Amino acid sequence: MNESLLRELVPAVIGVLVRRGADFAAAEDAVQEALIRALETWPDDPPRDAKAWLIAAAWRKFLDAARAETSRRGREFAMEVEPPAGPLPATDDTLWLYFLCAHPSLSPGSAVALTLRAVGGLTTRQIATAYLVPEATMAQRISRAKRRITGLTLDRPGDLTTVLRVLYLVFNEGYSGDIDLAAESIRLTRQLAASTDEPEVAGLLALMLLHHARRASRTGPGGRLVPLAAQDRSHWDTGLIAEGVGMLQTALARDRLGEYQAQAAIAALHADAPSTAETDWVQIVEWYDELLLLTDSPVVRLNRAVAVGEADGPRAGLAALAALDPELPRHTAVRAYLHERAGNLEQAATLYAEASRAATTVPERDHLTREAARIRQLLRS
C-alpha cells in the first residue's frame, strides 16, 4: 500500500468533511481514524477509489463522534441543572489535564503526541513536523494512544518529564506563529515552577522567557520573518530577559544540568550580546556540546554547526554540517548561509532557492526566497 498516496489525500478529504459541515478539528480527527482503518484493511482489500473510500469512512467516523458529543453534552447539561452535592472546584485544571494525558499506560512519545493534540490544540501535521515523522505515522500514534486509554480511569497522573516535553513543544509551536500558544505555555510552566523545585522546570521557564523576550522583533510588517542578526535588540523585553537569566542561574546552581537548562544558557548568551558579531560563539558551541551529551539530537547538531561556523569560520561550520543527514529540516538553509559566509555566492543562491521550496511555513519560504534574490542581485552588481 502506498502511504504517500494516503498523505496526499488527507487535505482533500478533510476539505470535503469541512464543506459538509464538520469543523476542522473534528474533520481531522475523523480522517485520522479513517487512515488507521485504511492501513489495517487496504493491504488485503484495496478499494477501487481510494479517495471515495476515505471520504465515506471519515464521514462515518465524524457522525459517530458527533453523536457521542451530543450525548456527552446532554449529560453535562443534566449535571448543570442538578449538580452533585458538595463544593465545586473553581481552579484552572489545564495543567492537571496535561498530567492526566501523560497516563502511565502510555509510552512517553504517545503521551506527548496525545496531549499536544487533545489539550495543546496542535494539528496532527504540526505534531508530525515537530517529531520529524510523516503525518500518517503521527495519526496512527495518536489514534493508538486514544484507544489504549479508552475505558481507563484517568486518575493516575503521568511523569513530570513527559509534561515538560509537552509544554516545550507547545511553546515552540506557539512561538512559530502558526498558533499563538506561547503565552499559555509560559502561564502553565509558571504554575508548575511554583509547585516544584525541580531545576529542569526552572530551566524550561527560563528558556521560554528568554525566547519570548525577543518575540516582538522576530517579525516585521505583514509577518515578514526577521532573522536574529537583523533584529532590533532595543525592542527585546529586558524585564523578561532579567527574569529568565536569574531563574537560570538559580537552576544551574543546583548542579543538576538538564537539556532545558542547557538550551536556556544558549538563549541567555544570545540575549546578553549587544550584536551578533559580539556574541560569545565559543561558549555557545561549548553549551551545544553539553546539550549533545544530554540529547544527541540531530537538530542540536544542526544548530551547533551554525555556531561552529560563527566561532571558527564558515568552512569549519560546513565541515560540521557535512556529517549530518541532508534531509534534516533547515539543513539546506544552513548550507546556504554558510556558503554565503564562505564567499560561494553562486552556490548560496541556488541553495537558498532550494531551501525556500522545502520550507514548511509561508514566512520562512518568503524569507529564503528573498535571500536567494538578494544573493543574485549581488552577483549581478
Side-chain angles (χ1 to χ4, degrees):
M1 182 182 54
N2 190 342
E3 289 194 26
S4 63
L5 171 62
L6 282 175
R7 290 196 296 272
E8 291 170 3
L9 289 173
V10 165
V13 176
I14 290 175
V16 171
L17 267 63
V18 169
R19 288 193 294 274
R20 289 184 178 182
D23 65 66
F24 185 86
E28 187 184 47
D29 282 342
V31 172
Q32 285 180 23
E33 297 294 335
L35 282 174
I36 299 300
R37 185 62 180 157
L39 291 168
E40 292 171 348
T41 62
W42 284 15
D44 298 324
D45 185 21
R48 283 177 298 202
D49 187 333
K51 182 177 178 181
W53 189 100
L54 278 176
I55 290 172
W59 185 246
R60 285 195 297 272
K61 295 290 185 182
F62 167 73
L63 292 177
D64 290 344
R67 293 187 190 102
E69 178 68 9
T70 300
S71 298
R72 183 188 66 80
R73 288 179 179 174
R75 291 192 298 271
E76 288 181 353
F77 178 73
M79 288 285 287
E80 290 174 6
V81 172
E82 189 174 349
L88 293 177
T91 56
D92 176 10
D93 291 329
T94 306
L95 186 58
W96 183 239
L97 288 175
Y98 274 71
F99 275 95
L100 293 182
C101 281
H103 197 273
S105 67
L106 298 174
S107 68
S110 294
V112 170
L114 178 63
T115 313
L116 290 172
R117 185 70 187 92
V119 186
L122 273 62
T123 66
T124 304
R125 179 172 296 179
Q126 289 168 326
I127 301 169
T129 300
Y131 273 88
L132 308 180
V133 299
E135 185 176 354
T137 300
M138 184 54 65
Q140 285 182 278
R141 187 179 301 176
I142 293 170
S143 293
R144 281 196 299 266
K146 288 179 181 177
R147 288 201 299 270
R148 187 169 183 82
I149 64 172
T150 297
L152 296 178
T153 302
L154 296 181
D155 57 357
R156 298 168 58 203
D159 67 279
L160 179 63
T161 301
T162 300
V163 173
L164 287 179
R165 183 65 179 168
V166 174
L167 289 167
Y168 171 75
L169 290 172
V170 172
F171 176 82
N172 282 348
E173 194 59 49
Y175 193 62
S176 76
D178 295 328
I179 298 177
D180 189 3
L181 294 167
E184 172 68 358
S185 302
I186 290 174
R187 183 183 73 83
L188 294 172
T189 308
R190 282 191 188 279
Q191 287 184 13
L192 193 55
S195 64
T196 178
D197 62 354
E198 169 58 45
E200 271 294 78
V201 177
L204 177 58
L205 182 54
L207 175 63
M208 289 178 174
L209 294 175
L210 289 164
H211 278 302
H212 206 59
R214 296 195 287 112
R215 188 171 189 181
S217 62
R218 291 183 72 247
T219 55
R224 182 174 180 148
L225 187 64
V226 181
L228 177 62
Q231 289 175 17
D232 185 345
R233 298 184 181 220
S234 67
H235 291 166
W236 290 3
D237 189 324
T238 54
L240 286 181
I241 290 173
E243 183 185 1
V245 169
M247 191 165 294
L248 172 63
Q249 289 172 339
T250 301
L252 290 175
R254 302 285 301 279
D255 199 24
R256 285 162 50 196
L257 184 65
E259 62 174 301
Y260 301 121
Q261 295 169 69
Q263 288 189 57
I266 293 168
L269 287 167
H270 283 299
D272 187 55
S275 67
T276 302
E278 297 169 275
T279 302
D280 189 344
W281 289 105
V282 172
Q283 193 174 168
I284 286 178
V285 172
E286 291 172 354
W287 274 111
Y288 273 123
D289 290 339
E290 292 284 349
L291 190 53
L292 281 172
L293 292 175
L294 295 165
T295 67
D296 196 26
S297 160
V299 175
V300 172
R301 291 188 180 278
L302 184 72
N303 291 334
R304 181 185 179 278
V306 176
V308 168
E310 299 290 352
D312 301 327
R315 297 194 184 283
L318 285 167
L321 192 65
L324 304 181
D325 183 355
E327 296 301 315
L328 272 174
R330 293 183 53 247
H331 187 282
T332 305
V334 170
R335 279 179 63 209
Y337 172 73
L338 292 172
H339 274 293
E340 180 188 354
R341 289 276 319 283
N344 306 324
L345 298 188
E346 287 278 4
Q347 192 164 3
T350 300
L351 289 169
Y352 275 129
E354 182 183 336
S356 72
R357 292 190 290 271
T360 57
T361 67
V362 173
E364 182 185 10
R365 181 201 65 197
D366 292 347
H367 169 70
L368 292 168
T369 301
R370 286 192 298 269
E371 292 296 278
R374 177 179 60 81
I375 299 296
R376 290 193 181 106
Q377 182 61 38
L378 286 174
L379 288 168
R380 285 194 293 267
S381 61

